[in-house]
Amino acid sequence: MVITYYDYCVITWLLEFGRLSDDIGRKPVFLNGLAFSAISAFLFVFAGSLVPIFAGRVISGFSAGVFTGTATAMLVDLAPGGNRRLGSVVAVVVNLGGLGLGTLLAGLLADHFASPLRLPFVVDLVLLGPAVLGLLVTPETVQRTAFRLRLQRLKVPQEVRSVFVRGATAGFGSFAVAGVFSSVAPVFLGQILGRTSHALAGAIVFILFTASIVGQLAVSRFSDRRALVIGCALLAGGVGLLALALGIESLAALIASASVVGLGQGLVIGAGLAAINQRAPVAQRGEVASSFFVVMYVGLSLPVIGVGVAAHAFSLRGAGIAFSAAVAALVLTVLASLSRSD
């Protein structure tokens, strides 16, 4: 529930302030995101009760919301030669790479160093220094206007709506699998396979997101539509392997599932975001990117709650297999839609 609490804070920021950087500039919003990140890290480092932990999750969720929408738009703006596809790929690679590396690093620190609940946030504070310096020397990419705080609705321009629906639906499924992997994999390893290594649990999530980066890099070799088709097929196969891993209690199948799901995720997220950014009007690019990632973070949070409730009522194995079937049905629906389109 703490994880989903964080996700809802990300979604809240994206919904309410997703287009703020389109109005006042990318850098001021980005600097606020770095400040939120530093405050949340301090709260976690010195937390002595649940109150600062929950406060830290709220503030870190706002920080992630800033980075998700604003950083994506800024990287697209800064892409050399106006290459929006390159900017989109870089944005998602660093986003997913951070998720994977953070999980792996936290697992390694937990297994080999003292203060495993605080040390990762000390590392986070150290990394914020170069981030601030890098941002200060980065040029602004948006013409600033007067500050106007306007709450926004999810809004997608008509010219990108069809590609948005397909890309966001497949992306929702891929993030749902990633969220369940992050929460269920450690429990599966410990309770069913008897493996209690934090580093191993982190490594499996790292494999998923690393494979996702590989999928991102492969997007440029295909058209957006073809990459989305291949990604959906891989996602369907990957959740099939996940169901197999749960059914036969196999670590090898779990690792294979993480690899295949990651490749599929990279392709569908990269293709979807690239197609959206190529068609979105410049003045609405931050807003559209925020809308896209709202769907992704909903996928990262809500299915985890459903799987948790089902696992408590029935069993982890049954809940995981049912979840795998649901995600497979979702991405196969997108795949069927793509096969009918021109």
Side-chain angles (χ1 to χ4, degrees):
M1 287 301 294
V2 174
I3 294 174
T4 56
Y5 193 40
Y6 160 87
D7 294 328
Y8 294 144
C9 293
V10 176
I11 294 168
T12 298
W13 179 274
L14 291 173
L15 282 172
E16 298 188 355
F17 304 105
R19 66 166 298 143
L20 186 60
S21 72
D22 293 331
D23 295 334
I24 68 172
R26 312 292 190 211
K27 291 179 69 172
V29 178
F30 214 136
L31 283 170
N32 277 283
L34 292 172
F36 285 145
S37 184
I39 293 169
S40 68
F42 271 112
L43 286 170
F44 286 127
V45 169
F46 297 106
S49 66
L50 284 177
V51 173
I53 291 176
F54 277 103
R57 292 307 285 172
V58 169
I59 297 172
S60 64
F62 287 152
S63 174
V66 171
F67 296 147
T68 298
T70 302
T72 297
M74 191 173 189
L75 285 168
V76 173
D77 294 341
L78 291 170
N83 189 341
R84 296 187 182 186
R85 177 185 286 273
L86 175 62
S88 299
V89 169
V90 172
V92 182
V93 164
V94 296
N95 193 356
L96 298 178
L99 289 171
L101 284 171
T103 305
L104 178 61
L105 176 61
L108 290 170
L109 293 175
D111 279 349
H112 301 291
F113 296 91
S115 300
L117 298 181
R118 304 179 191 272
L119 187 56
F121 300 104
V122 175
V123 174
D124 180 43
L125 283 169
V126 172
L127 293 175
L128 286 174
V132 171
L133 293 176
L135 181 62
L136 291 176
V137 300
T138 301
E140 179 57 76
T141 61
V142 170
Q143 183 69 37
R144 299 182 185 182
T145 60
F147 176 77
R148 291 177 297 170
L149 183 59
R150 294 173 295 167
L151 302 184
Q152 70 173 54
R153 297 177 300 171
L154 288 177
K155 184 178 179 182
V156 180
Q158 182 65 39
E159 56 267 38
V160 299
R161 196 159 296 167
S162 61
V163 296
F164 183 94
V165 170
R166 291 192 182 100
T169 301
F172 175 93
S174 71
F175 264 62
V177 180
V180 170
F181 252 100
S182 300
S183 58
V184 171
V187 179
F188 176 71
L189 288 171
Q191 293 185 0
I192 298 180
L193 298 183
R195 298 174 180 266
T196 58
S197 169
H198 298 92
L200 177 59
I204 290 175
V205 178
F206 174 75
I207 289 169
L208 187 151
F209 287 116
T210 300
S212 184
I213 292 174
V214 174
Q216 290 289 318
L217 298 177
V219 166
S220 61
R221 299 177 178 272
F222 308 100
S223 67
D224 294 335
R225 181 182 177 280
R226 184 167 181 79
L228 195 57
V229 167
I230 296 172
C232 287
L234 286 170
L235 282 173
V239 294
L241 285 170
L242 176 59
L244 178 66
L246 292 167
I248 66 174
E249 300 181 7
S250 169
L251 176 61
L254 185 66
I255 294 173
S257 173
S259 301
V260 176
V261 165
L263 282 172
Q265 181 189 60
L267 286 167
V268 300
I269 298 296
L273 191 58
I276 290 165
N277 280 325
Q278 285 174 4
R279 294 165 175 80
V282 175
Q284 294 177 280
R285 195 176 296 157
E287 183 178 30
V288 175
S290 294
S291 299
F292 183 81
F293 280 107
V294 163
V295 178
M296 301 305 100
Y297 275 97
V298 170
L300 195 62
S301 58
L302 284 182
V304 172
I305 298 175
V307 171
V309 171
H312 180 73
F314 304 102
S315 68
L316 174 62
R317 181 180 288 105
I321 292 173
F323 164 80
S324 299
V327 173
L330 181 66
V331 296
L332 288 174
T333 299
V334 177
L335 190 59
S337 173
L338 288 165
S339 68
R340 292 195 300 268
S341 63
D342 295 333

